Amino acid sequence: MLNAESDEPTPTEARVTAIWAEVLQHDAFGPDDNFFAVGGHSMTATLVTYQLRDEWGVEFPLTLIFEHSTVRELASMIDRAKAEAVDSDTVTG
């Protein structure tokens, strides 16, 4: 999701974009381009999920990229997963 004040990507979007650029070996795509339309396929999607796990320390299922196949959508889901992980680590009682 872009920052409301500007067209700058969020930190998560910027990192997802960098991971895609590394895995796909090009950076000619925008935040709303479909991963598979810009050259991604199931094997590169697998590599992306490995890098996402390494970056954020969370296991992301491969289906995440198929269901949220733009940088913007994927970054939003990562931010949501990180927030849920923090919430589940909170001790109550």
Side-chain angles (χ1 to χ4, degrees):
M1 146 181 347
L2 294 177
N3 292 326
E5 306 84 47
S6 70
D7 289 338
E8 292 296 313
T10 66
T12 304
E13 287 175 346
R15 188 62 194 124
V16 169
T17 297
I19 289 170
W20 282 24
E22 182 180 331
V23 169
L24 298 174
Q25 299 183 347
H26 70 82
D27 59 1
F29 53 84
D32 294 312
D33 288 337
N34 184 290
F35 179 78
F36 302 99
V38 296
H41 50 76
S42 60
M43 291 303 291
T44 54
T46 301
L47 295 174
V48 168
T49 60
Y50 292 157
Q51 290 205 22
L52 296 175
R53 179 198 60 216
D54 292 347
E55 181 71 23
W56 284 286
V58 176
E59 285 293 330
F60 295 103
L62 180 59
T63 57
L64 186 69
I65 295 175
F66 287 89
E67 295 169 357
H68 306 282
S69 57
T70 70
V71 167
R72 189 180 318 268
E73 292 173 348
L74 187 56
S76 176
M77 293 307 296
I78 291 168
D79 287 339
R80 199 170 297 147
K82 290 187 308 184
E84 289 172 4
V86 168
D87 289 345
S88 69
D89 289 341
T90 303
V91 176
T92 59

